Amino acid sequence: MQDIRWRAFWLILSLTLICLIIWEVQGAELALLTFAVSITLYLFHHLYWLDKLIGWYKKPDLISMPIATGAWEDIFATIYHEQRRHNLSKVQLSAALERFRHAASALPDGVILLDDNNKIEWCNKPAEQQLGLLLKQDINKPIVYLVRNAEFIKYLEHHVDIEPIKLKSWIRLDITLEIQLVAFGSSQKLLICRDVSNQEKLEHMRRDFIANVSHELRTPLTVVGGFLETLSDMEGAVPENLRNYFEMMQEQTSRMRLLIEDLLALSQLESGATSPEETDLDVYALLNNILNESKSLSKGCHNITLDADQSLALIASNQELHSAFGNLVSNAVRYTPNGGTIAMKWEEQNQEAIFSVTDTGLGIEQHHLDRLTERFYRVDRSRSRGTGGTGLGLSIVKHIINRHQGRLEVTSEFGKGSTFKAVFPKSRIIHKQITMLQ
Ligand code: ADP
């Protein structure tokens, strides 16, 4: 550009000098005429090349680029280089895109690119097969026009970057798909579908195995337990020096029975085969029952209190919440030394219904808290066994609360005590009218 400016400057300066010389030699008229004609020619020259440039730019290809002279040579040369660079990066970009498409097509998982209106921008072959799409004809169509599955549509509307969902494939009923929506770019989304049928089958087999084994063990254990009890009750049947052993055998069989009952309960909850039988549950009445049960478990060794909002009810399963709340309270009793306090609370806070159990017991170290609800996870094996625990209580509690769209929160201070909270969403809350008895 600097060059072009200098060239124009020197040209006009030379022309002016020539015109001044003509003025001196031939007079002013000829000088002005020369100046005007030269400037007009100069202008036409530029207009000519400008027109050429515009003409070329409408179809910019390197072969047909005009070959100019003078200042325009520089301009065309610069454009030529830029165009070449642009073409080169276009080729590289297309190659990279092609490579990406090949890689994405080779993925065993289905991948679909959606724009901000959930229209399909691109998808790979597995996605076509899993969701019954055909990219050629479905491109730019809203995915909800093509996948008419209520659960899928709901997930698509509300959830980006959260837990994936599992759905039965609507193309092949023996296939289970795991679907996850991930946000990317400014407003686009990536829908990833994975065939998890094998994992599901394995999980199913595992659950069935546990349920069957537990079921099969239940009958012989009941028989053994029954005979032990009968023999213990029969006068003279058990020699006095063996009575201790008999008591231990009875204790262990009843522990095993509890374990089997918990395993059966857990596998039933995990299978999700039956949804909870939900009613307008009078939580206040339920908690009063649990208070009585916990008092008999504690045998008067703890100070147990209940502070419950009588008007706060819940849409929930009576049997399941009895088991979950009962478990939390029995844990508090079992892990609180004699003389300790256990406070139960049922209240509404920030439009959520909360049941909390606070104890002044042994407490749990922070690093255990995340793992408490794992099956058979125990903070201290000997401590738990001594209290007659099965190691499945909190797993059951968590499953039940999750089935009610709630969450379990645990806070604890080692040596001071713990608080277990079951928090339920607003959608499950019912406010009851309280009629005062005279
Ligand atoms: P368990 O049948 O062994 O009690 P749970 O699943 O009910 O099994 O509880 C898991 C572990 O969490 C227990 O082994 C115990 O160490 C700990 N835990 C549960 N509740 C309390 C509590 N209120 N105070 C202290 N520790 C607790």
Side-chain angles (χ1 to χ4, degrees):
M1 272 302 152
Q2 195 98 0
D3 249 24
I4 293 171
R5 259 183 263 145
W6 274 115
R7 248 185 238 198
F9 172 74
W10 283 119
L11 200 83
I12 293 187
L13 192 71
S14 319
L15 182 66
T16 314
L17 280 174
I18 291 168
C19 288
L20 283 174
I21 294 168
I22 294 173
W23 191 311
E24 275 299 309
V25 181
Q26 299 286 334
E29 259 176 39
L30 192 65
L32 286 175
L33 189 70
T34 311
F35 191 76
V37 170
S38 308
I39 290 291
T40 312
L41 283 176
Y42 185 64
L43 204 68
F44 268 111
H45 168 78
H46 280 310
L47 284 176
Y48 171 78
W49 284 112
L50 200 63
D51 182 55
K52 280 260 182 206
L53 178 64
I54 293 169
W56 174 82
Y57 209 76
K58 283 181 185 156
K59 257 179 148 194
D61 89 86
L62 292 178
I63 297 166
S64 64
M65 179 167 248
I67 298 167
T69 50
W72 284 95
E73 190 182 358
D74 285 351
I75 294 172
F76 277 105
T78 313
I79 294 173
Y80 184 83
H81 275 109
E82 274 308 304
Q83 189 65 23
R84 262 195 72 182
R85 217 165 51 85
H86 175 72
N87 283 1
L88 209 70
S89 50
K90 219 162 102 182
V91 169
Q92 282 168 346
L93 215 69
S94 315
L97 197 67
E98 203 48 37
R99 271 203 307 278
F100 163 75
R101 286 204 169 148
H102 268 115
S105 300
L107 280 176
D109 297 342
V111 180
I112 305 168
L113 291 189
L114 298 175
D115 69 6
D116 50 344
N117 293 317
N118 289 333
K119 286 185 184 159
I120 301 170
E121 288 188 345
W122 177 83
C123 73
N124 65 358
K125 273 263 167 291
E128 286 187 326
Q129 286 155 5
Q130 286 167 348
L131 301 187
L133 306 173
L134 201 61
L135 183 62
K136 266 190 210 148
Q137 71 184 42
D138 297 334
I139 193 158
N140 287 329
K141 303 246 169 63
I143 193 161
V144 288
Y145 285 8
L146 305 155
V147 180
R148 302 299 302 158
N149 177 294
E151 238 182 300
F152 174 79
I153 295 171
K154 204 165 140 207
Y155 179 72
L156 204 64
E157 276 169 6
H158 302 294
H159 307 290
V160 170
D161 286 340
I162 67 145
E163 290 289 294
I165 50 160
K166 280 187 188 161
L167 295 174
K168 275 261 161 261
S169 162
W170 41 95
I171 310 292
R172 276 183 52 190
L173 291 177
D174 57 331
I175 285 182
T176 307
L177 296 175
E178 187 181 78
I179 292 184
Q180 184 164 27
L181 207 54
V182 185
F184 89 102
S186 51
S187 54
Q188 287 149 303
K189 289 166 225 166
L190 201 63
L191 191 80
I192 302 165
C193 328
R194 183 169 302 145
D195 181 349
V196 289
S197 317
N198 282 340
Q199 272 161 264
E200 277 286 290
K201 264 184 218 148
L202 276 175
E203 187 60 20
H204 211 105
M205 275 163 63
R206 185 190 62 81
R207 277 200 303 264
D208 280 357
F209 175 75
I210 294 175
N212 290 339
V213 167
S214 313
H215 204 78
E216 292 300 322
L217 284 174
R218 204 194 222 168
T219 320
L221 255 181
T222 314
V223 174
V224 173
F227 278 125
L228 282 174
E229 210 175 310
T230 318
L231 283 173
S232 296
D233 290 347
M234 269 168 68
E235 201 139 314
V238 182
E240 266 326 295
N241 57 340
L242 296 182
R243 188 156 285 281
N244 246 355
Y245 298 123
F246 256 75
E247 274 168 14
M248 275 160 69
M249 278 153 74
Q250 260 180 308
E251 214 175 274
Q252 291 308 315
T253 40
S254 65
R255 258 202 73 208
M256 276 168 83
R257 242 186 286 165
L258 278 182
L259 190 63
I260 282 167
E261 292 308 324
D262 274 2
L263 273 172
L264 277 171
L266 193 60
S267 68
Q268 201 181 0
L269 285 170
E270 276 186 332
S271 73
T274 49
S275 52
E277 257 179 48
E278 290 171 356
T279 49
D280 297 356
L281 179 64
D282 183 352
V283 181
Y284 178 78
L286 171 72
L287 290 177
N288 274 295
N289 282 342
I290 292 175
L291 176 68
N292 291 334
E293 287 164 13
S294 61
K295 278 183 176 164
S296 83
L297 182 69
S298 150
K299 297 191 181 95
C301 297
H302 303 92
N303 175 25
I304 308 177
T305 61
L306 169 65
D307 171 11
D309 179 347
Q310 202 172 346
S311 66
L312 186 61
L314 209 63
I315 304 170
S317 151
N318 183 16
Q319 186 214 334
E320 290 194 1
L321 283 208
H322 193 151
S323 156
F325 292 176
N327 242 306
L328 293 179
V329 181
S330 90
N331 275 354
V333 172
R334 288 188 294 120
Y335 297 110
T336 302
N338 290 353
T341 303
I342 293 156
M344 292 190 252
K345 231 182 190 181
W346 173 240
E347 61 191 332
E348 188 174 349
Q349 257 182 31
N350 303 326
Q351 301 193 315
E352 290 179 316
I354 304 174
F355 170 66
S356 63
V357 188
T358 303
D359 63 53
T360 55
L362 306 171
I364 307 160
E365 285 160 295
Q366 296 304 306
H367 64 273
H368 291 296
L369 293 185
D370 286 344
R371 303 195 56 193
L372 281 186
T373 55
E374 285 175 23
R375 267 163 279 174
F376 297 114
Y377 187 82
R378 279 143 168 164
V379 173
D380 176 346
R381 279 189 178 270
S382 55
R383 179 210 283 188
S384 173
R385 210 169 282 132
T387 64
T390 61
L392 293 171
L394 289 180
S395 291
I396 294 177
V397 172
K398 188 183 168 195
H399 270 286
I400 292 177
I401 295 174
N402 284 353
R403 266 155 80 95
H404 289 79
Q405 291 79 45
R407 60 180 192 279
L408 177 69
E409 293 178 358
V410 188
T411 47
S412 188
E413 212 177 317
F414 188 57
K416 290 207 166 154
S418 320
T419 298
F420 285 75
K421 276 186 188 174
V423 186
F424 298 93
K426 183 183 167 202
S427 55
R428 289 204 164 256
I429 296 177
I430 304 173
H431 290 106
K432 282 194 318 171
Q433 291 272 332
I434 314 265
T435 44
M436 299 294 258
L437 291 175
Q438 298 300 310

